[in-house]
Amino acid sequence: MPIHLLAPEVASQIAAGEVIERPASVVKELIENALDAGTRTITVATLEAGRRLIEVADDGCGIPSDELALAVSRHATSKLARAEDLFRISTLGFRGEALASIGSISRMTLVSRVAGAQAGARIRVEGGREGKVSTTGAPVGTSVRVEDLFYNVPARYKFLKSDVTERRAVDALVTRYALAYPQVRFKLTEGKNITLQTSGDGDRRAILAALYGVETARQLLEIQAQDDSSPDPSQSLKLTGYVSPTALTRSNRRDITFFVNGRWVQDTPLTSALIQAYHTLLMVGRYPLAVIFLEIPPQEVDVNVHPAKAEVRFRNQDRVFGFVQRAVRRGLLAYAPVPQVTPALWGSQAESTRQVSLDWSLAHDEPRPGPQVQPAGNASSPPAAPAAPINGEALPASRVPLLRLIGQIGATYLVSEGPDGLYLIDQHAAHERVLFEKLMAQHEMRQIPSQALLSPVVVQLPPAAAGLLKTQLSVIAHLGFEVEDFGSNSFQVRSMPGLFAGSDPALALRAVVEDFEEDETPLQNEIEKKLAARVCKRLAVKAGQVLSPEEQHALLIDLEKCDSPRTCPHGRPTMIHLSVEMLERQFGRKGAR
Ligand code: ADP
Ligand code: MG
């Protein structure tokens, strides 16, 4: 094929593809426009997760009728004049591409009126073809109606995910903007359902509750910091936000949100700076939750890196990263001082997650391989080989020996004696394992005894979580939960597995959706197992909970009966074994140390 210029529609569809990937991208561009227009209220209405309709209305400054046609053309913007301006951008938009892009891949109607104008004006763009501007009645502000997204780009349409997923993306986006702009009133609806409504009174906690649920929001730590290392005050960096205490974690980075100068940025190395701040405070594979707002002098940030403006670069990256890391670290320590552990005999990394790990390098010359348990019943095979990392199945004897209960310490660990030394048992991890095996055993027999609640409980969930739970109702029904969608993001729990009798149904429901990965295995059985493990974790006794001697004893017996008693269903050790052999070495009774 000889080289030729692309037809304008083709070129504009290609360009649109960079900006608009899914309904949430349309919502993002329109919200940004509304915010740039100084709006106090933004309403977002969707139908069919935005495939059928997305309508975003604001009460901002509006567009004069004689500029309407220009507004929907490519590279037309009121926010930037010269190339130099690119490096002092204080608006969210500047590329002049969004409206043109949206118009080229949908049927878009834009109605706008500026204050003082007699009437509003209206323009329609269908698949890139602009109609005439007409006069119409309208309130001051702008409303953009986007129908049949990707109707003329079937290839793109096919890449859209399920309604639930697309809706979640929209919910997540609107909620995040609501958080970043608490002075603006946001309302998001899908059909007749209101999925988010904020008051615009500046209170971020209330919006955090909508995003994460009340319980989680309550625990988040508020942080604030300013970096004045530069003599020029206009060069200072500011940070505000919320971070999770070390006890509150997620299995992925999805709940880490950064805003830079009011712009949501994703896939940013800033995330690593934040995770660094938690260094040694979280278990491997666990991540904090955080919502961080950074204010950085505009000339220090390059926002023109990515067509969707989802990435930014910093002129002095080290300064920004270092600042974020110190600010978060300091905030964490201020709220929860990390216990200063003197490198004592056990060299334990006393972490606030209450994980204890033995420093095996003290007992052996090998590098410390992490928390370990020795295979039970091998007292006769000295020297105690540095056991394989604890993992029930991997050990020769996966069963635990008969244990004699000594008592509970720190309201967290059970101390017991076995034939071969001392066993410290993490009561939470152990109970988690016990519940999980019981539930899965009943599940395999296809008879999980379900127990009706005396009075059904209604549980309210954040919109995203509610959307997710709806897709999992049949799965949890298999696990013995009778739950009904009650509308407006609430659910009625009628019965629970008998195993959890007396537990809080709300905790169980939240556990189902917590940490749910979008791409979790499609295998029903695997999903059920994962959900079961999550629920068991939530409902197991907690660290810090005093247990009666009878309860301690029962837990020990139950654990002995488990098939894989040495780890919790999430792979954490349930116990640490201090063999007589090892105690003798440590006390210098045996071997040369
Ligand atoms: P950009 O936001 O990058 O300038 P857009 O294509 O999103 O490009 O919008 C083009 C122009 O239309 C904007 O520069 C602005 O002047 C005007 N505009 C778009 N949306 C609104 C709105 N909601 N209120 C007022 N003006 C708007
Ligand atoms: Mg824009």
Side-chain angles (χ1 to χ4, degrees):
M1 210 195 298
I3 300 179
H4 60 282
L5 279 175
L6 289 173
E9 318 85 76
V10 182
S12 85
Q13 277 189 15
I14 291 174
E18 296 188 322
V19 188
I20 307 297
E21 188 194 345
R22 58 200 301 189
S25 351
V26 174
V27 176
K28 170 176 183 284
E29 292 298 334
L30 298 181
I31 287 184
E32 291 192 346
N33 280 348
L35 291 168
D36 280 345
T39 189
R40 309 287 304 167
T41 311
I42 297 180
T43 58
V44 182
T46 60
L47 281 181
E48 291 173 23
R51 296 163 200 267
R52 259 277 298 290
L53 171 78
I54 298 166
E55 181 160 18
V56 177
D58 66 57
D59 60 5
C61 64
I63 308 172
S65 58
D66 57 344
E67 290 179 19
L68 216 51
L70 209 50
V72 299
S73 333
R74 198 165 294 280
H75 310 307
T77 179
S78 56
K79 302 170 192 174
L80 184 89
R82 295 163 304 166
E84 304 91 89
D85 297 347
L86 265 179
F87 293 92
R88 46 173 165 249
I89 288 199
S90 57
T91 50
L92 295 169
F94 57 87
R95 297 172 59 100
E97 273 191 323
L99 291 181
S101 294
I102 298 168
S104 71
I105 47 163
S106 71
R107 306 180 218 273
M108 175 176 88
T109 314
L110 194 156
V111 175
S112 194
R113 181 175 151 207
V114 292
Q118 293 294 314
R122 177 178 180 280
I123 188 167
R124 189 167 161 92
V125 185
E126 230 181 287
R129 282 184 305 278
E130 281 170 39
K132 289 241 152 40
V133 176
S134 62
T135 308
T136 177
V140 171
T142 304
S143 114
V144 182
R145 200 179 157 84
V146 178
E147 287 160 287
D148 306 325
L149 184 65
F150 298 132
Y151 80 96
N152 56 346
V153 201
R156 218 8 171 327
Y157 189 87
K158 279 190 215 135
F159 274 93
L160 293 183
K161 303 230 174 94
S162 70
D163 272 14
V164 176
T165 305
E166 294 301 340
R167 216 178 296 137
R168 266 177 73 197
V170 172
D171 291 353
L173 184 117
V174 179
T175 317
R176 284 193 169 77
Y177 272 90
L179 254 183
Y181 296 87
Q183 277 83 12
V184 176
R185 275 197 293 163
F186 281 81
K187 182 173 174 186
L188 170 65
T189 57
E190 158 76 28
K192 290 199 182 75
N193 283 335
I194 300 178
T195 34
L196 177 79
Q197 191 156 24
T198 69
S199 63
D201 66 0
D203 179 11
R204 278 191 170 137
R205 283 273 173 191
I207 310 169
L208 282 170
L211 186 58
Y212 297 124
V214 181
E215 193 37 47
T216 303
R218 214 174 40 79
Q219 293 180 51
L220 294 178
L221 313 172
E222 188 167 356
I223 54 171
Q224 248 178 37
Q226 181 150 0
D227 169 293
D228 301 315
S229 59
S230 157
D232 177 359
S234 72
Q235 291 300 305
S236 76
L237 311 177
K238 287 197 195 70
L239 179 153
T240 53
Y242 298 85
V243 296
S244 55
T246 52
L248 180 65
T249 61
R250 292 286 196 253
S251 64
N252 56 57
R253 301 161 185 237
R254 243 191 359 225
D255 279 321
I256 300 176
T257 304
F258 273 96
F259 274 84
V260 174
N261 296 347
R263 183 189 305 282
W264 184 18
V265 294
Q266 283 157 287
D267 301 323
T268 153
L270 283 170
T271 309
S272 316
L274 177 93
I275 293 171
Q276 268 297 312
Y278 281 81
H279 186 59
T280 74
L281 300 179
L282 301 184
M283 289 189 57
V284 178
R286 302 300 298 179
Y287 298 95
L289 283 84
V291 184
I292 305 275
F293 304 96
L294 273 174
E295 293 297 329
I296 296 180
Q299 56 302 351
E300 292 290 312
V301 194
D302 183 358
V303 288
N304 189 25
V305 184
H306 187 268
K309 300 163 287 176
E311 287 170 30
V312 294
R313 288 215 187 104
F314 302 108
R315 183 131 68 147
N316 187 344
Q317 173 157 309
D318 290 349
R319 179 177 175 219
V320 178
F321 290 4
F323 170 58
V324 169
Q325 195 180 320
R326 280 192 307 276
V328 174
R329 183 86 182 176
R330 218 176 288 141
L332 278 175
L333 297 185
Y335 281 101
V338 179
Q340 286 299 316
V341 186
T342 41
L345 182 64
W346 298 123
S348 68
Q349 309 174 316
E351 299 178 356
S352 50
T353 48
R354 291 178 187 274
Q355 182 203 5
V356 170
S357 63
L358 288 182
D359 194 342
W360 280 81
S361 57
L362 287 175
H364 311 280
D365 293 326
E366 282 80 359
R368 182 169 60 92
Q372 292 188 342
V373 158
Q374 282 183 265
N378 70 341
S380 57
S381 55
I390 173 153
N391 174 343
E393 282 75 14
L395 295 171
S398 73
R399 299 254 166 194
V400 281
L402 288 180
L403 298 174
R404 182 176 68 87
L405 177 69
I406 300 172
Q408 189 185 27
I409 50 172
T412 300
Y413 306 103
L414 302 187
V415 187
S416 63
E417 187 198 4
D420 168 33
L422 183 72
Y423 288 79
L424 282 174
I425 294 165
D426 179 318
Q427 64 190 37
H428 168 70
H431 194 218
E432 208 181 320
R433 163 57 66 187
V434 166
L435 287 177
F436 179 72
E437 288 206 5
K438 284 187 177 171
L439 187 64
M440 290 328 282
Q442 296 172 346
H443 182 252
E444 238 150 70
M445 311 282 290
R446 308 220 166 279
Q447 46 177 333
I448 297 185
S450 187
Q451 187 166 329
L453 300 180
L454 284 179
S455 48
V457 174
V458 175
V459 181
Q460 179 84 31
L461 290 181
L468 202 54
L469 185 61
K470 279 183 205 160
T471 64
Q472 301 302 324
L473 286 181
S474 65
V475 179
I476 61 172
H478 271 152
L479 294 174
F481 287 91
E482 200 187 327
V483 178
E484 196 189 326
D485 184 357
F486 229 49
S488 328
N489 303 324
S490 61
F491 297 84
Q492 191 189 48
V493 187
R494 293 226 204 80
S495 50
M496 307 230 293
L499 201 55
F500 302 135
S503 300
D504 179 359
L507 272 185
L509 276 204
R510 294 206 183 98
V512 168
V513 279
E514 171 179 303
D515 278 358
F516 196 90
E517 288 285 353
E518 210 161 291
D519 300 315
E520 233 161 333
T521 162
L523 298 174
Q524 176 85 0
N525 207 20
E526 282 298 306
I527 293 187
E528 286 177 12
K529 228 175 167 170
K530 280 196 169 174
L531 293 191
R534 250 177 250 159
V535 173
C536 292
K537 180 178 170 61
R538 273 284 155 257
L539 301 188
V541 296
K542 300 270 169 311
Q545 201 168 325
V546 178
L547 302 181
S548 70
E550 293 73 33
E551 290 170 322
Q552 298 172 25
H553 195 67
L555 178 55
L556 216 54
I557 304 236
D558 278 343
L559 187 65
E560 282 167 7
K561 289 191 200 133
C562 285
D563 287 333
S564 313
R566 292 169 182 277
T567 56
C568 82
H570 295 92
R572 280 218 288 133
T574 53
M575 58 177 71
I576 288 174
H577 175 204
L578 311 183
S579 69
V580 172
E581 162 90 29
M582 184 206 157
L583 291 174
E584 285 183 338
R585 284 168 169 275
Q586 294 290 351
F587 284 111
R589 291 176 177 275
K590 205 178 177 185
R593 245 198 73 79

